[in-house]
């Protein structure tokens, strides 16, 4: 079964401005919560970045919010909430917002909010003044359709909060209806000290990736420092492709069709490389071009034909006709490439027309032709008018094959190249002047190196408002995407037809799907296909508009503008106006133009944060002291002295780890089902335990940590933790009690978000979720509700790599082998398994997963009595 590999990408960055002279002990502005949540449904990613910041001093402070997002994405929402008021960004026609932008610029203010940074990113930034002891919440939403390149979808998660954050979370949810066959997590944020902060789970067509680093991990990893995290997280996964006709999904009258067949023979290609050797290419540019061309020539297949053209004010061809990529011809061509030297002016018109002539003279029977131009400048000799050159090239090619334009650096006229490529069924790409420029050139070539189909036409019955349906080439590793509206919902079947030319013949793919059988979307992703259609339509209209003229151009712009306004996308035709509290400047978010260099004032405040940290962060700040004051924000947390009697009682709640003797369990009344997953195994194991069990969940004698739990009919009724000799934590469905040896702090599950830290222990409370770190152990607890009954479920996010770890969650990553006949093998033991289902309470959404049901003795590698704990460990 064919598979498509995907790398997914998301960038989050938060910068806080602070006053001069701060020290680690006096953080003025505190990021007490920073969450990135990305939901990918059928390649369409909606990402929400939420940051909560508090001003901890008795005086107003300016807080800067700064995030990096993919250039391919559209911002669709921005909101600031402070002092009970919400300030929403409003998407307007760009011209309407321009006046406010210009007025701000004339006053010398930094009114722009979005600028290009690097190769693939844009930076969104804003700031607001926060009153003394007040808080602000920033929320940014952006959307993008992941593009398949080299067999991968890319979504990079990069984070640099500029300070350790107590409540830091990255959550990625992926749903692909054909099924997810492979997934792994890579990147700097999944190495060494941070490995245990990443958890993954997968079930059929769904996958989850969570990154929850502790505050300590955020300062001690390879890409960390006292300013916190600074690195990437890469999620790589494969999608099953069971049908050559592609994957079809529909919802609420809209559909999307993904077409990426892999069972097709490659078509031999005729490729001509047109290489600029003008004087501006001297030095590293020409060296990297030679290096890239040598590698590209080495990758040509023997049945390919190729040509080489180099140009300055004169055009020089390696051979007058295309030559077959034999070993001898390739060696001769490499010798020619090694001799390329930079000199002279730039005659793009003559060079490209020569390339067209060479391809036109070569018979194209059962082959696919491609013309590739590489230049770093603008035409300045011969025909130098860009418009005339575009017209000449378009007429010469006549729609017979695509032209791809590679612009080297920022001195190139990229708009000129982009339009010329789009007019000829190709595309333009910027090659950045960097040490890896040769790899960039090779990477582009690889994306077009293997044509599989030509003249691809996709047809649909009872469909309208379609995105692009005709494609000149389909390359291996790419994907054709078409979206539209279903115009007749009364039809019993929705029919698709794809007609194309393969290596040997004309091919047709047909599919007929019952309308009621079309794959839909989950309620929480409602309208995602409609938004995908709008996103793709706007993207294609903006590309189409570049190559159009007159009324057609205006019509395309107007349609793209109306959709941008309707779906609140920040595009090149729209802007987002952000109105701040009275007395502060209005800012405008524009979509930067490709390659645009934005001049902006440099701010030094970020450098002043390098040594800035504080003892306490987030809510519950008063709990760091031995006082009776209510915690920051007036939350339902309280601190008080504990009587000696109460202290003795708290010690009984969770005895010291070495003092957990086994006890006899009562006969089972009913069972609770547990899941056990290993990162590199596609199907989890599940097993049942008696509901009345009192279990040792996790114990690490080396750090003096233990966790025990009392099962009820659904999950856990009470869970107790002990760390060292004086830290005790007890959770029940009614509340949480934490004792630090002197004081007891009580929390309620329904109270506002709370953060409490002291002496190596961090407790972060969100609604129905508690995140606890004790030393090197991190556990997240969820409070679930099912059939009217509430219960708890622990998820071990991090534990020491210690062979002496004990408890049922210490055995939670066993690797198994699946044998014929539904037999599961662990180590030297084999057991007959039954395919069943289990609710995964390790996730707040509690999805139902398929699993291999086996006896608990098989997974735990022991009897139940080995994991029982004493009755007196819990309150009656």
């Amino acid at each position: 079964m064919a598979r498509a590999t995907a790398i997914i990408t998301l960038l989050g960055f938060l910068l806080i401005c602070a006053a001069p002279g701060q020290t680690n002990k006096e953080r003025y502005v505190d990021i007490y919560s920073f969450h990135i949540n990305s939901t990918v449904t059928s390649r369409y990613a909606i990402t929400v970045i939420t940051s909560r910041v508090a001003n901890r001093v008795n005086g107003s402070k300016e807080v800067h919010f700064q995030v990096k997002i993919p250039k391919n994405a559209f911002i669709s929402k921005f909101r600031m909430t402070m002092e009970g008021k919400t300030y929403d960004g409003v998407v307007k026609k760009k011209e309407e917002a321009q006046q406010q932008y210009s007025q701000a610029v004339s006053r010398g203010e930094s009114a722009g909010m979005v600028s290009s940074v690097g190769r693939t990113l844009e930076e969104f930034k804003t700031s607001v003044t926060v009153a003394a002891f007040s808080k602000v919440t920033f929320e940014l939403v952006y959307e993008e359709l992941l593009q398949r390149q080299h067999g991968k979808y890319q979504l990079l998660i990069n984070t640099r909060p500029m300070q350790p954050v107590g409540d830091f979370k990255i959550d990625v949810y992926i749903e692909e209806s054909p099924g997810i066959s492979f997934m792994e997590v890579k990147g700097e944020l999944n190495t060494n000290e941070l490995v245990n902060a990443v958890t993954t789970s997968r079930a059929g067509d769904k996958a989850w990736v969570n990154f929850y680093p502790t505050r300590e991990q955020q300062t001690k990893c390879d890409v960390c420092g006292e300013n916190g995290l600074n690195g990437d997280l890469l999620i790589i996964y494969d999608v099953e492709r069971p049908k050559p006709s592609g994957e079809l999904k529909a919802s609420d009258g809209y559909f999307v069709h993904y077409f990426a067949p892999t069972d097709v023979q490659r078509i031999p290609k005729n490729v001509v490389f047109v290489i600029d050797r003008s004087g501006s290419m001297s030095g590293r540019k020409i060296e990297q071009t030679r290096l890239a061309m040598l590698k590209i020539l080495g990758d040509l297949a023997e049945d390919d034909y190729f040509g080489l053209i180099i140009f300055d004010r004169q055009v020089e061809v390696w051979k007058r006709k295309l030559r077959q990529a034999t070993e001898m011809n390739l060696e001769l061509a490499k010798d020619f490439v090694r001799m390329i030297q930079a000199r002279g002016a730039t005659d793009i018109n003559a060079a490209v027309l020569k390339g067209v002539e060479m391809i036109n003279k070569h018979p194209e029977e059962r082959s696919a032709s491609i013309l590739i131009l590489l230049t770093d400048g603008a035409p300045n000799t011969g025909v130098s008018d860009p418009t005339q050159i575009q017209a000449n090239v378009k007429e010469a090619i006549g729609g017979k094959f695509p032209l791809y334009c590679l612009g080297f650096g920022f001195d190139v006229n990229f708009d000129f190249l982009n339009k010329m490529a789009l007019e000829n069924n190709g595309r333009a790409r910027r090659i950045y002047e960097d040490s890896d420029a040769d790899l960039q050139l090779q990477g582009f070539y690889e994306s077009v190196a293997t044509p599989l189909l030509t003249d691809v036409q996709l047809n649909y019955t009872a469909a309208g408002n379609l995105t692009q349906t005709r494609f000149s080439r389909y390359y291996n590793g790419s994907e054709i995407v078409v979206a539209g509206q279903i115009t007749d919902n009364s039809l019993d079947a929705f029919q698709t037809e794809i007609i194309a030319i393969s290596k040997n013949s004309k091919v047709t793919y047909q599919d007929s799907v019952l309308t009621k059988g079309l794959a839909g979307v989950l309620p929480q992703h409602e309208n995602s296909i409609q938004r995908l259609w709008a996103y793709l339509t706007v993207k294609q209209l903006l590309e189409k508009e570049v190559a159009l003229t007159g009324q057609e151009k205006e019509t395309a712009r107007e349609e793209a503008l109306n959709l941008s306004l309707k779906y609140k996308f920040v595009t090149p035709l729209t802007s987002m106006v952000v109105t701040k509290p009275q007395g502060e400047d209005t800012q405008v978010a524009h979509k930067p133009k490709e390659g645009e260099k934005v001049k902006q004032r440099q701010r030094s405040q970020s450098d002043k944060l390098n040594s800035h940290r504080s003892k306490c962060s987030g809510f519950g700040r008063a709990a760091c002291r031995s006082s009776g004051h209510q915690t920051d924000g007036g939350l339902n947390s309280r601190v008080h002295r504990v009587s000696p009697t109460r202290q003795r009682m708290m010690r009984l709640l969770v005895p010291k780890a070495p003092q957990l003797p086994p006890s006899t369990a009562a006969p089972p009344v009913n069972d609770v089902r547990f899941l056990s997953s290993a990162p590199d195994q596609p199907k989890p194991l599940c097993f049942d335990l008696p509901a009345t069990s009192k279990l040792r969940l996790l114990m690490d004698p080396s750090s003096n940590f233990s966790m025990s739990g009392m099962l009820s009919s659904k999950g856990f009724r009470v869970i107790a933790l002990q760390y060292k000799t004086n830290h005790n934590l007890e959770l029940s469905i009614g509340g949480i009690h934490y004792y630090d040896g002197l004081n007891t702090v009580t929390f309620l599950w329904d109270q506002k978000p709370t953060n409490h830290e002291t002496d190596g222990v961090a407790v972060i409370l969100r609604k129905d979720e508690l995140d606890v770190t004790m030393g090197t152990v991190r556990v997240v607890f969820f409070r679930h509700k099912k059939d009217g009954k509430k219960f708890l479920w622990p998820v071990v996010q991090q534990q020491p790599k210690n062979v002496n770890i004990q408890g049922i969650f210490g055995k939670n990553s066993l690797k198994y082998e699946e044998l014929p006949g539904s037999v599961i093998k662990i180590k030297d033991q084999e057991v007959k398994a039954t395919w069943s289902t289990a609710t995964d309470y390790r996730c707040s959404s509690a999805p139902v997963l398929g699993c291999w049901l086996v006896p608990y003795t098989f997974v735990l590698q022991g009897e139940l009595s080995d994991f029982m704990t004493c009755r007196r460990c819990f309150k009656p």
Side-chain angles (χ1 to χ4, degrees), residues 26 33 56 67 156 217 249 257 349 358 379 382 394 434 516 554-555 565 585 637 663 670 676 682-683 737 796 813:
E26 49 179 21
S33 176
R56 300 297 187 191
V67 295
L156 169 68
Q217 285 176 312
K249 287 181 71 70
H257 184 198
N349 182 75
M358 291 179 66
K394 183 177 180 180
D434 211 335
K516 64 180 180 181
E554 290 303 315
T555 300
L565 293 172
D585 303 318
S637 305
S663 63
N670 50 25
S676 177
K683 302 172 185 176
H737 303 282
V796 179
S813 294

Side-chain angles (χ1 to χ4, degrees), residues 340-358:
I340 297 176
Q341 299 294 327
R343 67 187 188 192
T346 308
D347 190 348
I348 291 176
N349 182 75
V352 175
L353 291 181
K354 186 63 178 178
V356 175
E357 178 188 331
M358 291 179 66

Side-chain angles (χ1 to χ4, degrees), residues 43 145-148 153 241 245-247 256-261 453-458 460 467-475 477-483 498-500 536 540:
R43 287 72 149 179
L145 177 63
L146 305 179
Q147 298 178 351
R148 188 170 184 244
Y153 306 92
R241 296 185 184 272
S245 59
E247 172 194 349
V256 60
H257 184 198
Y258 298 98
F259 178 64
L453 297 171
T454 64
D455 300 321
V456 183
Q457 175 67 49
L458 296 94
Y460 305 89
T467 58
Q468 182 179 343
T469 57
R470 185 174 181 82
F471 302 84
S472 65
R473 300 287 186 270
Y474 163 66
Y475 299 102
S478 66
E479 183 174 60
I480 290 174
V481 184
V482 178
I498 303 111
I499 302 171
L536 185 59
Q540 292 182 354

Side-chain angles (χ1 to χ4, degrees), residues 382-482:
V383 178
S384 57
D385 177 22
T387 303
Q388 186 60 52
I389 296 172
Q390 290 164 346
N392 293 345
V393 171
K394 183 177 180 180
E395 181 181 2
I397 292 178
K400 296 187 291 293
F401 51 83
L403 166 66
Y404 298 100
C405 298
L406 306 180
F408 210 140
F410 282 90
D411 294 327
V412 70
N413 186 342
F414 192 82
D415 288 344
F416 157 66
L417 296 179
N418 189 41
K419 181 176 181 180
M420 189 162 65
L422 291 173
E423 286 180 330
N424 295 283
N425 299 308
R427 63 180 183 271
R429 178 178 295 183
R430 188 182 301 278
I431 303 300
Y432 291 84
E433 296 183 52
D434 211 335
S435 58
D436 67 340
D438 57 315
L439 299 179
Q440 296 177 55
L441 290 168
Q442 293 172 42
F444 172 82
Y445 169 74
E446 289 170 5
S447 69
V448 298
T450 311
L452 299 181
L453 297 171
T454 64
D455 300 321
V456 183
Q457 175 67 49
L458 296 94
N459 302 314
Y460 305 89
T461 58
N465 292 323
L466 296 169
T467 58
Q468 182 179 343
T469 57
R470 185 174 181 82
F471 302 84
S472 65
R473 300 287 186 270
Y474 163 66
Y475 299 102
N476 186 41
S478 66
E479 183 174 60
I480 290 174
V481 184
V482 178

Side-chain angles (χ1 to χ4, degrees), residues 32 51 53-55 60-63 79-88 127-139 579-582 584:
Y32 60 86
S51 177
V53 188
N55 178 8
S60 298
K61 292 295 174 185
E62 185 182 21
V63 174
R79 168 177 291 177
M80 289 188 299
T81 303
M82 55 189 299
E83 297 182 353
K85 294 182 180 180
T86 298
Y87 303 88
D88 285 308
S127 64
V128 68
T129 300
V130 179
F133 303 116
S134 295
K135 302 179 179 68
V136 60
T137 297
F138 300 98
E139 180 182 342
T579 303
K580 300 182 185 180
Q582 187 174 6
E584 296 199 46

Side-chain angles (χ1 to χ4, degrees), residues 120-353:
T120 59
L121 305 179
E122 293 171 353
E123 186 174 71
F124 176 97
K125 65 177 182 179
T126 188
S127 64
V128 68
T129 300
V130 179
F133 303 116
S134 295
K135 302 179 179 68
V136 60
T137 297
F138 300 98
E139 180 182 342
L140 181 77
V141 180
Y142 64 87
E143 306 177 29
E144 61 176 325
L145 177 63
L146 305 179
Q147 298 178 351
R148 188 170 184 244
Q149 296 179 344
H150 310 299
K152 300 172 183 178
Y153 306 92
Q154 294 189 4
L155 180 56
L156 169 68
I157 304 178
N158 171 279
T159 183
R160 188 185 174 209
M162 290 303 292
Q163 64 174 247
V165 180
D167 180 17
F168 184 99
K169 295 176 64 175
I170 295 177
D171 294 294
V172 178
Y173 169 71
I174 306 166
E175 181 183 356
E176 299 285 356
S177 59
I180 298 172
S181 59
F182 166 77
M183 186 178 74
E184 63 177 329
V185 181
K186 293 184 176 181
E188 297 163 318
L189 299 184
N190 190 38
T191 57
N192 300 329
E193 296 89 345
L194 292 174
V195 170
N196 291 331
V198 179
T199 59
T200 63
S201 58
R202 179 161 51 92
D205 61 350
K206 301 177 181 64
W208 297 262
V209 178
N210 309 104
F211 177 59
Y212 296 173
T214 64
R215 181 183 290 275
E216 183 179 11
Q217 285 176 312
Q218 293 174 50
T219 61
K220 294 186 177 180
C221 65
D222 290 343
V223 291
C224 305
E226 64 178 21
N227 297 323
L229 297 170
N230 182 10
D232 303 330
L233 193 69
L234 294 178
I235 304 160
I236 306 171
Y237 73 95
D238 281 358
V239 177
E240 303 286 359
R241 296 185 184 272
K243 299 168 67 175
S245 59
E247 172 194 349
L248 191 64
K249 287 181 71 70
S251 176
D252 298 325
Y254 290 82
F255 78 91
V256 60
H257 184 198
Y258 298 98
F259 178 64
T262 56
D263 56 345
V264 184
Q265 282 186 294
R266 64 173 294 276
I267 300 176
K269 62 181 178 291
N270 313 307
V271 57
V272 174
F273 301 94
V274 182
I275 302 170
D276 185 350
R277 66 168 180 187
S278 61
S280 58
M281 285 284 291
S282 62
R284 189 165 70 165
K285 286 184 188 178
I286 203 69
E287 292 174 6
Q288 292 174 319
T289 300
R290 287 196 296 261
L291 186 62
M293 283 305 306
L294 291 173
K295 179 65 170 62
I296 289 171
L297 289 171
D299 289 340
L300 290 173
E302 190 170 358
D303 55 355
D304 289 336
Y305 281 77
F306 72 102
L308 296 173
I309 297 174
I310 55 177
F311 71 96
D312 44 65
R313 65 173 58 253
Q314 297 178 332
V315 177
E316 180 181 349
V317 297
W318 169 58
K319 302 292 182 183
R320 288 185 300 170
K321 296 182 179 180
L322 301 191
R323 294 298 179 95
Q324 188 175 355
T326 62
E327 185 175 349
M328 179 180 294
N329 284 335
L330 289 174
E331 286 304 318
L332 292 173
K334 289 179 181 179
D335 290 339
F336 178 78
V337 167
R338 292 186 184 101
M339 299 300 293
I340 297 176
Q341 299 294 327
R343 67 187 188 192
T346 308
D347 190 348
I348 291 176
N349 182 75
V352 175
L353 291 181

Side-chain angles (χ1 to χ4, degrees), residues 501-515:
I501 298 175
S502 67
K503 177 182 179 181
N504 298 316
S505 63
K506 184 177 181 180
V507 294
T508 301
Y509 300 89
Q510 292 181 328
D511 199 1
S512 180
V513 184
L514 295 176
T515 53

